Amino acid sequence: MLFRTRRLAAASVAVTAATALVAGCTSGSGSTSGASGDTLTLWTHNAGNSVELDVVKKIIKDFNGSQDKYKVKLQAFPQSDYNNSVVAAASARKLPCLLDVDGPNVANWAWGGYLSPIDVSGSEVPVSDQLASTVGDYKDKLYAFGFYDVSLAFFARKSVLGEHGIRVPTMDKPWTKDEFDAGLAKLKKSGKFEYPLEMGTGGTGEWWSYGYSPQLQSFGGDLIDRDDYKTASGTLDGKNAVEWASWFHSLVANGHMAKKSGADPNKDFLAGKSAIQWDGSWNAAKNAEKLGDDLAIIPPVDFGNGPKIGGASWQWAMSSTCSNKAGAQEWLKFSRQTKYFVDYAKATSTIPATDAAAQQIADYQPGGKFDVLVQFAREYATVRPATPAYPYISTEFEKAAKDILAGADPKNALGQAAKDIDSNLKTNNYYSN
């Protein structure tokens, strides 16, 4: 399959990163023949993340030892360069047979010709058993799957909320916008917190879409019209979206949240600098260790259209240029064992993608201290728009949201983002090919 020379939505690629990746692969197929059978190269973004990388290594070792027809060879790269480097390697037709992909990018990589649909039927864990956010579909075909997801939540100290007369919400009765705003006002008025709310505004990149677009969606807006994925105008800059943006700016204007948070928002929360933190399940264990029974894990605010959080994390896929797709799919099928779903969740403190795996982890079992995070992922997760335009959409949303916090007119900032996204869609023939 020829890679399309389109104006991809991904960012420009660093030549050094591309060179490092291309040099690490001996053929464009990602598969070579040898005495021990076909060798399948696998790339992962986990260099520097030893706990997750160790699970990948374990699966590879088990697979290689289970048969002598195929051998998987690991190459790990830093996450910071991974996405752009894959784009460069794809253009040079130097992709491996197996690679991981961030869930929101599956549609873009499938459209761009990097990935082939996969068939993992007959594996121990059926795809239908997984959280919907951990399955990467595009145009009704399966392109990727993940072993875990993460969940957004508010974290707070029960004692602090109680001291200020603020109710601890539940999934049955989450905070409303008015209740949330009133609580923040009480905390601010107490004089104990310069900024009572911490939402990680010092972050960059995908955090902005992952962290804040669910709140936009709870207001009734969205990043794009999902009926046909052909326009953002009227949706990203519609009445509901502008209401979200005005509220988002008010958090800074009212002194409830810093325009740019510190380098480690979770550390600041645990130190008592903030009263409420909007953060991910990846810090739940650390918070529980420090705060014990005083920790409140709180569902997202219902801004009018139900509580929302982002969905989809890293997933595994097969490249379109793999010369041994049968072997690559054998590895994918082999990896789909409940024990590996359990291993990933234990190693990374993430939410297992299946109920069967969750039941083997005390904290995630029904009634476990982090079971509520599984429920959040199941009930509230909204997958970011499954369109090849998503990387561009995400970049434009980040720019607009930062401008809004800095004081830009909400309607104008969102309107410009919508126009730019519509222009990108039109330039790429609405990603219809």
Side-chain angles (χ1 to χ4, degrees):
M1 177 179 182
L2 294 176
F3 289 100
R4 300 160 182 161
T5 56
R6 295 170 166 173
R7 178 188 167 195
L8 294 181
S12 61
V13 180
V15 174
T16 54
T19 302
L21 277 173
V22 173
C25 185
T26 56
S27 73
S29 68
S31 174
T32 58
S33 296
S36 61
D38 282 344
T39 298
L40 309 170
T41 304
L42 175 149
W43 286 354
T44 178
H45 72 287
N46 280 311
N49 180 5
S50 60
V51 291
E52 186 167 348
L53 187 61
D54 284 347
V55 179
V56 179
K57 289 178 178 178
K58 179 181 179 181
I59 298 173
I60 291 173
K61 180 180 179 181
D62 290 352
F63 176 75
N64 288 346
S66 70
Q67 44 74 52
D68 57 10
K69 189 174 182 180
Y70 309 110
K71 180 180 179 181
V72 172
K73 178 182 177 182
L74 172 70
Q75 291 185 341
F77 302 93
Q79 181 175 336
S80 59
D81 296 328
Y82 184 77
N83 288 343
N84 289 344
S85 299
V86 168
V87 173
S91 299
R93 298 182 60 79
K94 294 293 185 180
L95 283 174
C97 270
L98 296 159
L99 68 164
D100 55 8
V101 49
D102 199 4
N105 291 332
V106 169
N108 182 272
W109 288 12
W111 168 83
Y114 307 169
L115 308 179
S116 276
I118 57 176
D119 178 7
V120 292
S121 57
S123 53
E124 179 182 306
V125 178
V127 173
S128 58
D129 284 1
Q130 294 194 216
L131 290 170
S133 59
T134 64
V135 178
D137 290 323
Y138 177 61
K139 290 191 173 181
D140 299 322
K141 294 181 180 179
L142 177 66
Y143 279 89
F145 65 84
F147 289 89
Y148 58 82
D149 204 351
V150 290
S151 172
L152 286 167
F154 284 109
F155 295 104
R157 290 170 172 82
K158 295 174 186 176
S159 57
V160 170
L161 298 181
E163 178 186 349
H164 295 88
I166 300 170
R167 179 180 66 88
V168 178
T170 63
M171 291 185 72
D172 290 336
K173 192 177 179 182
W175 279 329
T176 63
K177 174 184 176 297
D178 290 345
E179 190 176 10
F180 185 51
D181 288 344
L184 292 176
K186 287 181 179 180
L187 292 164
K188 179 69 176 180
K189 187 177 180 180
S190 73
K192 295 183 178 181
F193 306 97
E194 181 179 6
Y195 299 110
L197 177 63
E198 173 58 76
M199 290 216 298
T201 50
T204 58
E206 187 56 23
W207 167 250
W208 283 75
S209 291
Y210 178 71
Y212 310 133
S213 68
Q215 296 171 344
L216 161 71
Q217 290 153 355
S218 185
F219 268 87
D222 208 342
L223 297 170
I224 190 172
D225 183 344
R226 299 198 191 207
D227 287 341
D228 56 14
Y229 294 98
K230 288 187 175 181
T231 182
S233 295
T235 300
L236 180 55
D237 60 351
K239 177 177 178 292
N240 293 334
V242 173
E243 288 180 359
W244 162 78
S246 298
W247 169 81
F248 193 53
H249 172 69
S250 77
L251 295 174
V252 172
N254 294 333
H256 294 165
M257 179 181 77
K259 182 170 66 176
K260 184 176 182 180
S261 62
D264 192 337
N266 184 244
K267 183 178 180 180
D268 290 342
F269 165 69
L270 291 177
K273 292 184 178 180
S274 55
I276 302 172
Q277 185 190 12
W278 181 237
D279 197 14
S281 55
W282 51 84
N283 276 324
K286 183 192 298 183
N287 292 346
E289 182 179 357
K290 177 70 179 287
L291 303 180
D293 292 339
D294 197 28
L295 175 66
I297 302 177
I298 297 170
V301 175
D302 182 352
F303 290 104
N305 286 267
K308 308 285 185 183
I309 61 173
S313 191
W314 287 89
Q315 301 174 2
W316 287 99
M318 176 178 68
S319 74
S320 60
T321 53
C322 177
S323 65
N324 194 332
K325 290 185 172 62
Q329 292 187 126
E330 281 303 307
W331 184 85
L332 292 169
K333 289 179 183 179
F334 179 89
S335 73
R336 296 183 56 76
Q337 299 181 50
T338 295
K339 63 181 180 181
Y340 297 133
F341 283 81
V342 172
D343 287 343
Y344 268 107
K346 286 183 175 179
T348 60
S349 297
T350 50
I351 297 168
T354 70
D355 286 343
Q359 290 169 5
Q360 295 186 34
I361 305 173
D363 288 344
Y364 292 115
Q365 290 174 355
K369 62 182 178 181
F370 300 139
D371 174 48
V372 67
L373 294 169
V374 179
Q375 302 306 315
F376 290 177
R378 181 179 293 118
E379 299 297 329
Y380 301 147
T382 300
V383 176
R384 281 154 282 182
T387 167
Y390 178 75
Y392 186 86
I393 292 171
S394 182
T395 298
E396 289 302 305
F397 177 75
E398 177 185 359
K399 181 179 182 299
K402 286 181 174 178
D403 287 346
I404 289 164
L405 286 189
D409 178 76
K411 186 172 181 60
N412 290 343
L414 292 178
Q416 186 60 55
K419 288 178 183 177
D420 290 343
I421 291 167
D422 285 357
S423 177
N424 176 270
L425 292 166
K426 185 176 181 181
T427 298
N428 286 286
N429 194 29
Y430 304 99
Y431 298 87
S432 59
N433 295 333

